[in-house]
Each structure stands twice: as structure tokens, then as C-alpha cells.
Amino acid sequence: MPLNVSELPLVGGHPALDLVNTLERGGNSPPHDFLSDSPALLSWSVRVGMISDAEADQVARAWYDEPAAAHAGLTAVRDIREGLHLVLLAVNTDADDDTLAAGDTVAAGAALVGLHERWSGAAARARLVLGSSQVRLAYGTVPAMLVPDRTAEAAFDIMLTADLTRVRRCPVPEGGCGWLFLDQSRNGSRRWCRMADCGNVVKARRLTERRRAARSSPS
């Protein structure tokens, strides 16, 4: 049975990468979407720190009063998720992974256009806020659009401020899950989403295979 969104490991190192990981893409089974409905989206948004508990209450009331806005918010977040996934795969192609080697730069370009449109809408609803040392752009001034606007902000942030060459994909060909994460290790050698999960599973399987091969080989 798949985990629910409250149990989903947060391994991305950035909310935008954790967003991409809410759709399982590795393995042979059909993809499982952890953002199954608007309540799941709201729960996930609080969990990753994209919105506060108080803001979640505002969003919940707005979505309860206007169910169409809840559906639109979920659709927008899923669109941002898929667009960002395409862009990140195009930037970080692993020649050993067939799914990445076949990355379509045309599709990634179209995804960038879509992401820019989502961000432009979010920026149009944002406002300038005077802080103690700087002026910042505060996204999410409209409760019904708060979650997709903050999601667009997160996608914009990782694309423009992160070192995208440090974005890794847990290697599916080697038994990994396909989740994306930001490699923050000093020498850039991190391979697995979590060593305690995919890394140890693959290591255990390889050990079993070596032992089986040793038993079957002539003495």
C-alpha cells in the first residue's frame, strides 16, 4: 500500500524538488500521485513549510466556499510539478539512464513557457513588503491562489538560484526510485535519495547476487 502524503519522505533538499517527488515515476508499477486531492495538497504544503498553519486555515475556508478554486489550485500545482520535472531532466541528463537520455528539449522549452506564465500570474498577485533590512516580494495574497502561487515561487527560486548541476536523480537503472534531490555533499558524490532506503536495498540485492553467483560457480 502506498504511503500517504503525511508519510512521504522529504529528500529533495528544496520544496520544489519535494514537489516533483510527489509523483512516483520509478519502477514498473503505474505512477502514484501523492497529491490525490486538494486536502492532500494542503497537508503537503504545510509539511514542507510552503504555507503556515494559519494560512492553511485561510486556504481551506476559501476552497470550501469555492470548490472550483480548489480544483484549479490542484491543477495548477500539478502543472508546475510536471513542467519543472521536464526542465530539470533536460538540464541534468544522465547518459546511463535511458529515460533521461531521451529528454526532449523542445518539451522542456514549452514547459519553461508554462512555468513562466504560472510565475507571472503569481507575481501579479504578490505585493512588496518592507522588512527591517530589505524590501521583499510576498507571494500568496489571495487565499484561493496562495498554494499555487507559493509553488510557482518555489519553482522559480530553484531554477534561478540553485546550482542545477547538483540536482540528482535516484538511479532507476540501478534499482533506485527516480526521486530528484539536491546533492549538497562536499564532493558532489551523493547517488541515492536516502542511503537508508534505496541505497541499502540495492546494496543488499547486489550482495545476494554475488553470493548466489559464488555458490553456482565451479569450485
Side-chain angles (χ1 to χ4, degrees), residues 50-73:
M50 195 172 289
I51 64 174
S52 66
D53 289 329
E55 290 172 329
D57 290 339
Q58 297 175 19
V59 174
R61 287 194 296 270
W63 285 357
Y64 178 82
D65 293 339
E66 193 175 353
H71 177 73

Side-chain angles (χ1 to χ4, degrees), residues 106-117:
V106 174
L112 276 176
V113 173
L115 288 168
H116 184 262
E117 291 176 351

Side-chain angles (χ1 to χ4, degrees), residues 6 23 41 46 66 71 82 102 118 143 151 159 162 167 194 199:
S6 65
L23 182 65
L41 171 59
V46 173
E66 193 175 353
H71 177 73
E82 296 315 298
R118 291 290 185 188
T151 304
M159 287 191 297
V167 175
R194 291 199 307 180

Side-chain angles (χ1 to χ4, degrees), residues 166 183-189:
R166 284 276 186 154
D183 182 1
Q184 297 173 321
S185 63
R186 180 173 297 180
N187 60 359
S189 61

Side-chain angles (χ1 to χ4, degrees), residues 171 174-176 192 197-209:
E174 298 178 34
W192 308 100
D197 290 334
C198 293
N200 282 344
V201 168
V202 172
K203 285 175 65 177
R205 187 178 69 242
R206 288 175 177 172
L207 178 60
T208 300
E209 291 171 351

Side-chain angles (χ1 to χ4, degrees), residues 127-138 153:
R127 59 188 174 88
L128 292 172
V129 176
L130 180 62
S132 58
S133 60
Q134 62 181 14
V135 176
R136 65 182 180 88
L137 193 60
E153 177 191 12

